[in-house]
């Protein structure tokens, strides 16, 4: 493998200096992904849960056994919440801290794709690959959220980078060890981090077939030593947890260990209870969610095939790994779009050598131009109809979103139409870049503050405190994580996973102990017919739910609500 050209001597893409191009792209990526941080609170479905767990870690110092309120939270390992808590200790602001792990993972993935593509090919291909990844809708949208999957993408990309530095550009045993280590960190974050090691399968195929551009490191003990580092971060989390659970003999800790090791891994993969989809589900995700990257695939697939027939290992390893990842998740009945998110950086890497030629093709430019025109036109027409005609579908949307959303969408759509009028087909990739930056910029700076009150439940919790008064204690019934997270003043709760009738009975008994100072904040469905709504106070609407506040005089004596839907069902959260 020829040495990598220094950046100072690299051929630039559109400026006179490659270093300035890279710096400008870094600033652009930071703005695309970071605009809006600090302007919103965590939003459902997952963000309030993780932020609440992280906040309770900081407040109570319980780092090994995460809690959601008074109950243990065994659904995910604690690494992501640890990082959120650490970000809070550094920044002192939860509105900033809860999004920082995802931002760091996104910027790291972009940097790694660029660096690896530049080493394998050149600066121009690398910069286009990183830009393609950044401007793919699925990547930008997910990496602006505070969920575990963006962080997992970061760990898996780090692992893939280390492995590929060794397998393609090596021997580089330190990078191999780093790749194995970060794969282990991925497992400690979410069990499927082990999938990064699937990269060794296409490597073995390429090595046996004597493919080109392949490193041929030897030394069996080094392979074993590197793989042993895979276990280090896993054991660094597991051993303290297991020792503490064994030492204290707490049955809740024992149940937590059983759930986190088996119920949330093997059982969830083999017999999932939700998100059931067909085996070809991910093909639809690639076609729609991966726009505009997916528009390149009709041209990229035959080009990849030609290069694979020439035995180019630089493409076999990332593409083979992507196929194995897709097969792994396709075999499970339960599927979510975010499961294949870690495949995006490797897809952009595999596209790198093709992008300079692809983006000059008229067919590609027409496809990108059509996408920008379609989205801009659709947003403009829909927003105009909603503002001036107010059809039924607009009214349904406004039940969950601020009506001002239409003005934001109209601004995005109109800006997109202006952009394509100037860029046209000839500069269609630039048109998409400008449209995407306008979309995500307005969403962060305008959409976040506008939507935050309802989506985060902040408004209803502030109003509940205003109604109850500063000294009253509010009990949360059939609550969601955002309610406890956004609660103002003293509150208590009666469990999250308990059936609603049991929560109701405990809440009423608690309220009767001091009826003058205690209010109950409840989901409408959980009250059933057991609360006189003429004496209760409707607090408001948030997250497609109605919330009430009532004192003891609104309770109908001897009434027990029927068993409603499970409080643990967060699918529509």
């Amino acid at each position: 493998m020829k040495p990598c050209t220094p950046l100072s001597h690299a051929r630039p893409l559109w400026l006179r200096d490659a270093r300035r191009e890279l710096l400008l792209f870094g600033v652009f990526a930071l703005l695309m992904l970071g605009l809006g941080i600090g302007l919103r609170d965590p939003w459902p479905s997952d963000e309030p849960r993780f932020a609440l767990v992280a906040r309770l870690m900081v407040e109570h110092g319980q780092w090994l056994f995460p809690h959601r309120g008074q109950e243990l939270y065994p659904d995910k390992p604690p690494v992501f919440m640890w990082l959120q808590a650490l970000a809070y200790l550094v920044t002192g602001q939860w509105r900033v801290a809860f999004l920082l792990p995802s931002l760091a993972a996104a910027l790291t993935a972009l940097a790694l794709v660029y660096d690896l593509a530049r080493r394998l090919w050149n600066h121009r291909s690398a910069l286009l690959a990183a830009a393609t990844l950044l401007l793919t809708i699925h990547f930008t949208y997910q990496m602006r959220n505070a969920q575990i999957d963006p962080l997992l993408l970061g760990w898996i990309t780090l692992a893939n980078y280390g492995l590929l530095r060794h397998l393609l550009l090596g021997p580089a045993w330190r990078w191999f060890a780093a790749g194995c280590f970060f794969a282990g960190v991925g497992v400690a974050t979410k069990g499927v981090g082990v999938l990064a090691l699937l990269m060794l399968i296409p490597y073995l195929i390429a090595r046996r077939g004597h493919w080109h551009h392949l490193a041929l490191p030897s030394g069996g003990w080094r392979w074993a030593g590197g793989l042993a580092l895979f276990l280090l971060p896993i054991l660094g989390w597991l051993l303290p947890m297991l020792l503490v659970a064994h030492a204290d003999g707490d049955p809740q800790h024992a149940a937590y260990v059983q759930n986190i090791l088996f119920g949330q891994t093997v059982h969830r993969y083999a017999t999932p209870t939700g998100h059931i989809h067909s085996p070809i589900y991910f093909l639809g995700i690639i076609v729609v969610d991966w726009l505009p990257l997916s528009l390149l695939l009709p041209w990229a697939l035959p080009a990849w095939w030609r290069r694979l027939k020439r035995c180019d290992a630089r493409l076999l390893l990332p593409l083979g790994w992507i196929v194995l990842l897709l097969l792994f998740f396709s075999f499970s009945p339960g599927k979510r779009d975010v499961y294949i998110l870690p495949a995006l950086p490797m897809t952009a890497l595999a596209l790198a050598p093709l992008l300079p030629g692809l983006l000059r093709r008229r067919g590609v430019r027409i496809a990108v131009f059509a996408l920008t025109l379609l989205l801009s036109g659709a947003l403009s027409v829909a927003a105009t109809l909603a503002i001036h005609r107010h059809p039924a579908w607009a009214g349904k949307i406004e039940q969950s979103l601020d009506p001002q959303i239409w003005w934001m969408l109209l601004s995005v759509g109109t800006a997109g139409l202006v952009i394509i009028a100037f860029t046209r087909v000839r500069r269609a990739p630039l048109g998409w870049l400008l449209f995407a930056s306008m979309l995500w910029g307005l969403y962060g700076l305008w959409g976040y503050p506008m939507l935050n009150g309802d989506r985060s439940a902040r408004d209803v919790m502030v109003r509940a405190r205003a109604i109850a008064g500063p000294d009253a204690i509010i009990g949360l019934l059939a609550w969601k994580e955002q309610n406890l997270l956004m609660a103002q003043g003293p509150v208590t709760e009666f469990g999250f996973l308990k059936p609603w009738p049991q929560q109701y009975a405990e809440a009423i008994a608690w309220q009767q102990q001091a009826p003058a100072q205690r209010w109950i904040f409840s989901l409408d469905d959980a009250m059933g017919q057991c609360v006189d709504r003429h004496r209760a106070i409707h607090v408001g609407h948030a997250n497609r739910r109605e919330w009430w506040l009532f004192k003891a005089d609104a309770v109908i004596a001897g009434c027990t609500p029927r068993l409603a839907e499970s409080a643990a069902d967060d699918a529509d959260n």
Side-chain angles (χ1 to χ4, degrees):
M1 182 67 65
K2 65 180 181 179
C4 180
T5 303
L7 196 58
S8 58
H9 295 86
R11 182 185 175 190
L13 184 63
W14 77 91
L15 296 179
R16 293 184 177 180
D17 184 74
R19 292 171 297 184
R20 292 183 180 179
E21 286 182 341
L22 186 59
L23 177 61
L24 182 62
F25 175 76
V27 174
F28 176 71
L30 180 61
L31 292 175
M32 277 276 290
L33 297 165
L35 278 177
I37 290 180
L39 299 180
R40 73 171 177 93
D41 299 292
W43 291 353
S45 60
D46 296 326
E47 290 181 351
R49 182 180 313 128
F50 300 138
L52 176 63
V53 170
R55 193 183 76 178
L56 293 176
M57 284 179 174
V58 173
E59 293 177 352
H60 302 297
Q62 182 55 272
W63 299 88
L64 286 177
F65 296 94
H67 282 73
R68 174 171 49 192
Q70 61 183 249
E71 297 175 352
L72 286 168
Y73 176 66
D75 289 8
K76 295 291 185 294
V79 172
F80 179 65
M81 289 75 88
W82 286 347
L83 292 179
Q84 286 187 316
L86 177 62
Y88 170 76
L89 294 176
V90 172
T91 64
Q93 298 289 332
W94 280 114
R95 273 193 167 191
V96 174
F98 84 99
L99 285 167
L100 288 186
S102 295
L103 176 64
L107 295 176
T108 298
L110 291 169
L112 294 176
V113 167
Y114 168 81
D115 185 72
L116 193 55
R118 186 171 73 89
R119 293 174 185 275
L120 291 172
W121 293 288
N122 54 63
H123 164 76
R124 293 164 61 85
S125 295
L127 194 60
L128 288 173
T132 300
L133 176 61
L134 175 62
L135 296 173
T136 298
I137 294 174
H138 199 206
F139 180 85
T140 316
Y141 175 75
Q142 294 295 343
M143 303 309 283
R144 290 174 63 94
N145 295 332
Q147 299 176 346
I148 288 181
D149 294 280
L151 181 63
L152 179 67
L153 177 146
W155 296 134
I156 288 182
T157 305
L158 272 166
N160 287 339
Y161 178 88
L163 295 175
L164 291 174
R165 284 291 301 267
H166 178 61
L167 303 176
L168 294 177
L169 298 167
W173 290 105
R174 291 182 180 179
W175 279 116
F176 176 69
C180 294
F181 177 84
F182 284 116
V185 177
V187 172
T189 303
K190 191 176 182 179
V192 293
V194 67
L195 296 178
L197 297 182
L198 292 177
M199 189 71 72
L200 296 174
I201 295 177
Y203 170 75
L204 292 175
I205 294 173
R207 183 161 182 167
R208 185 172 181 177
H210 304 289
W211 285 53
H212 307 306
H213 307 291
L214 194 70
L216 301 173
S218 59
W221 67 271
R222 289 186 171 183
W223 289 103
L227 291 172
L229 285 176
F230 166 73
L231 299 175
L232 186 62
I234 302 174
L235 295 177
W237 160 59
L238 278 182
L239 287 181
M241 180 187 69
L242 294 174
L243 290 174
V244 171
H246 177 74
D248 62 20
D250 189 332
Q252 293 186 6
H253 288 171
Y256 173 89
V257 170
Q258 179 70 19
N259 198 335
I260 196 71
L261 293 183
F262 301 103
Q264 298 301 324
T265 52
V266 177
H267 177 74
R268 175 168 286 191
Y269 178 83
T271 57
T273 58
H275 305 288
I276 307 300
H277 298 283
S278 73
I280 62 171
Y281 169 76
F282 291 119
L283 294 181
I285 296 301
I286 291 173
V287 170
V288 178
D289 290 15
W290 286 20
L291 289 168
L293 182 150
S294 58
L295 295 177
L296 305 176
L297 296 181
W299 290 273
L301 289 173
W304 281 335
W305 179 247
R306 289 191 296 270
R307 293 187 179 223
L308 290 174
K309 288 195 295 184
R310 295 199 296 265
C311 297
D312 191 339
R314 295 174 297 179
L315 291 176
L316 176 66
L317 268 62
L319 290 175
W321 181 81
I322 292 167
V323 170
L324 292 173
L325 182 78
L326 290 173
L327 289 175
F328 176 83
F329 286 118
S330 295
F331 286 147
S332 174
K335 301 174 182 68
R336 296 181 61 194
D337 60 336
V338 291
Y339 289 175
I340 62 169
L341 185 65
L344 264 174
M346 290 299 101
T347 306
L349 176 67
L351 282 170
L354 311 178
L355 286 171
L358 285 179
L359 295 179
R360 288 195 297 266
R361 296 182 69 99
R362 182 167 176 81
V364 171
R365 294 185 177 187
I366 290 175
V368 175
F369 175 84
L371 173 64
T372 311
L373 176 61
L374 178 63
L375 290 181
S376 301
L379 290 175
S380 300
V381 171
T384 301
L385 288 174
I387 293 170
H388 296 289
R389 296 293 183 87
H390 204 72
W393 54 264
K396 291 181 180 180
I397 292 176
E398 290 174 9
Q399 292 177 3
S400 302
L401 299 175
D402 191 308
Q404 294 298 313
I405 189 72
W406 303 120
W407 290 104
M408 186 190 79
L409 296 180
L410 180 61
S411 300
V412 173
T414 304
L417 294 175
V418 172
I419 288 169
I420 62 175
F422 281 95
T423 57
R424 301 186 181 183
V425 173
R426 182 181 177 186
R427 297 184 178 86
L430 175 61
W432 176 261
L433 182 148
L434 296 174
F435 173 73
S437 60
M438 182 68 64
L439 169 65
W440 297 115
L442 288 178
Y443 179 57
L445 298 177
W446 186 355
Y448 279 6
M450 176 176 57
L451 302 174
N452 185 62
D454 177 83
R455 294 212 60 191
S456 69
R458 174 179 287 274
D459 285 356
V460 295
M461 301 314 296
V462 168
R463 185 159 187 261
R465 175 52 59 189
I467 295 170
D471 300 323
I473 303 176
I474 298 177
L476 304 181
L477 171 60
W479 52 282
K480 294 297 182 182
E481 292 95 343
Q482 57 267 27
N483 299 122
L484 182 56
L485 183 66
M486 293 289 104
Q488 312 288 309
V491 297
T492 190
E493 42 92 9
F494 311 98
F496 183 83
L497 297 176
K498 289 180 183 178
W500 291 350
Q502 184 178 348
Q503 289 189 45
Y504 177 86
E506 293 182 12
I508 297 304
W510 166 82
Q511 188 180 53
Q512 289 174 349
Q513 295 173 6
Q517 290 82 33
R518 295 180 177 179
W519 293 72
I520 294 178
F521 175 87
S522 176
L523 179 66
D524 182 89
D525 292 340
M527 300 189 304
Q529 303 300 317
C530 296
V531 175
D532 184 354
R533 284 165 172 74
H534 293 94
R535 296 186 177 183
I537 301 174
H538 180 243
V539 181
H541 175 95
N543 309 120
R544 304 190 300 274
R545 294 174 172 86
E546 304 300 327
W547 299 94
W548 294 75
L549 201 65
F550 62 88
K551 297 192 74 174
D553 60 354
V555 177
I556 299 175
C559 179
T560 302
R562 62 180 176 84
L563 182 63
E565 62 179 297
S566 171
D569 181 9
D570 294 323
D572 62 341
N573 202 11

